[in-house]
């Protein structure tokens, strides 16, 4: 039985003070049971946010990580720095792939390193609009999953987020059928690499223009274990509402 997850990726938003204010207004989700609540603020806000959520059920994640533990890598953040602070780390987000030239090979190294340092990777995969229009979604996504997880033994310490690039920040989410089909494909890809049993333990989220209006459509599907939320996670009330709606639907099932 997979516990549903609502994770907020704040991206490059919020000053430290704004992050603190935002999380204070989110603390009310503490009471919601049966859903993992994860927030991923910018690196500089991890410590103050950690202090605020310490006695709550809200968990913390980072938005990126380098794949070596230390050394001459100016400006990078290592798993050793993160594992004192948080449990999760988003890896391979399409914005990292697009704007910072991250390859499947680099992402695979990051996933391996994260697991080695007891961080749970939230591995992001998803196709571009062009790939969708030329019917390459299945090829692209299954390749990103198998390359991202290459050489990694079966583990429960992993979350995957299917985030079609054309749906991110556009206000145009994938249809429920598109999200469900691709998430089933991701699970089948993991099954091929590991086993059916292991594939069934991995939480797979949908991400891309989710909000309080459409979250229920997605989480009503057994295949979809929750959402990785961008813009809507910057509004405390909206994030809290999405967590509550998810709890209501998933706990009923
Ligand atoms: P939006 O929810 O703003 O579309 O962003 C999704 C996303 O990229 C989360 O990682």
């Amino acid at each position: 039985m997979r516990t549903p997850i609502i994770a907020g990726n704040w991206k490059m938003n919020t000053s430290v003070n704004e992050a603190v204010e935002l999380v204070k207004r989110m603390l009310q989700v503490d009471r919601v049971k049966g859903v993992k609540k994860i927030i991923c603020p910018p690196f500089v806000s991890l410590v103050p946010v950690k202090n605020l959520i310490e006695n709550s059920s809200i968990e913390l994640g980072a938005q990126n990580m380098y794949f070596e533990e230390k050394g001459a890598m100016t400006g990078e953040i290592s798993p050793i720095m993160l594992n004192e602070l948080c449990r999760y780390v988003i890896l391979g987000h399409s914005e990292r792939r697009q704007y910072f030239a991250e390859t499947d090979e680099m992402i695979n190294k990051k996933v391996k390193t994260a697991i080695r340092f007891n961080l749970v990777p939230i591995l992001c995969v998803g196709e571009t609009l062009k790939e969708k229009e030329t019917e390459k979604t299945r090829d692209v996504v299954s390749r990103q999953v198998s390359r991202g997880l290459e050489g990694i033994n079966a583990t429960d310490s992993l979350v995957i987020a299917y985030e079609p690039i054309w749906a991110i920040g556009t206000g145009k989410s994938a249809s429920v059928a598109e999200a469900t089909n691709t998430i089933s494909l991701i699970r089948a890809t993991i099954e091929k690499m590991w086993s059916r049993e292991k594939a069934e333990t991995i939480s797979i989220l949908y991400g891309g223009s989710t909000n309080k209006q459409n979250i229920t459509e997605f989480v009503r599907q057994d295949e979809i274990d929750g959402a990785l939320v961008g813009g809507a996670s910057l509004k405390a009330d909206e994030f809290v509402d999405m967590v509550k709606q998810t709890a209501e639907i998933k706990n009923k099932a």
Side-chain angles (χ1 to χ4, degrees):
M1 190 57 194
R2 303 182 293 265
T3 307
I5 297 175
I6 296 290
N9 174 9
W10 295 3
K11 307 192 179 181
M12 196 176 68
N13 295 294
T14 67
S15 66
V16 175
N17 286 336
E18 286 166 347
V20 163
E21 289 312 311
L22 183 55
V23 81
K24 278 186 191 159
R25 287 187 283 122
M26 285 179 175
L27 283 173
Q28 46 174 312
V29 284
D30 185 33
R31 289 193 298 268
V32 186
K33 303 265 181 293
V35 177
K36 287 188 190 174
K37 291 93 46 174
I38 304 171
I39 49 178
C40 306
F43 287 128
V44 291
S45 295
L46 286 173
V47 172
V49 168
K50 173 181 158 54
N51 292 337
L52 278 168
I53 60 176
E54 211 139 46
N55 297 315
S56 82
S57 57
I58 302 174
E59 297 182 276
L60 197 57
Q63 297 176 17
N64 184 28
M65 185 201 81
Y66 195 62
F67 51 75
E68 284 180 9
E69 23 188 304
K70 62 178 170 186
M73 293 291 164
T74 303
E76 289 296 319
I77 299 288
S78 86
I80 294 180
M81 300 168 194
L82 290 183
N83 76 0
E84 286 181 1
L85 302 178
C86 58
R87 178 161 166 70
Y88 296 89
V89 58
I90 297 172
L91 296 175
H93 192 282
S94 61
E95 288 147 17
R96 303 282 331 160
R97 295 177 192 254
Q98 272 186 302
Y99 309 139
F100 302 95
E102 289 197 11
T103 61
D104 283 326
E105 195 188 355
M106 285 165 73
I107 294 160
N108 175 246
K109 284 187 190 169
K110 290 184 177 199
V111 173
K112 282 182 178 153
T113 311
I115 292 172
R116 189 151 59 88
F117 285 90
N118 294 321
L119 289 156
V120 179
I122 302 177
L123 171 64
C124 300
V125 297
E127 80 286 4
T128 62
L129 182 60
K130 193 165 173 224
E131 288 161 346
K132 169 183 155 65
E133 285 172 350
T134 50
E135 295 178 11
K136 297 213 173 78
T137 300
R138 295 180 74 79
D139 286 352
V140 169
V141 170
S142 57
R143 189 176 64 231
Q144 287 173 338
V145 171
S146 50
R147 290 207 181 146
L149 299 180
E150 203 170 301
I152 294 171
N153 293 330
T155 174
D156 301 338
S157 244
L158 173 72
V159 175
I160 297 200
Y162 168 53
E163 299 205 310
I165 297 173
W166 47 270
I168 296 178
T170 58
K172 190 184 176 305
S173 61
S175 68
V176 171
E178 284 167 330
T180 311
N181 287 343
T182 311
I183 286 176
S184 302
L185 167 77
I186 293 171
R187 205 175 296 289
T189 308
I190 299 175
E191 181 179 332
K192 241 186 263 162
M193 297 181 75
W194 296 347
S195 67
R196 167 124 208 193
E197 203 190 2
K198 279 291 170 189
E200 288 297 325
T201 67
I202 303 300
S203 294
I204 310 182
L205 315 180
Y206 167 73
S209 296
T210 53
N211 53 44
K212 66 179 178 187
Q213 271 84 36
N214 63 17
I215 187 68
T216 53
E217 296 170 29
F218 293 104
V219 296
R220 218 172 256 138
Q221 310 302 313
D222 287 343
E223 272 298 313
I224 305 182
D225 298 313
L228 181 56
V229 187
S233 73
L234 292 167
K235 296 179 211 138
D237 291 350
E238 180 131 12
F239 185 74
V240 170
D241 198 58
M242 291 172 82
V243 170
K244 286 183 181 162
Q245 292 191 53
T246 303
E248 206 169 297
I249 287 184
K250 291 290 193 193
N251 296 341
K252 223 187 276 169

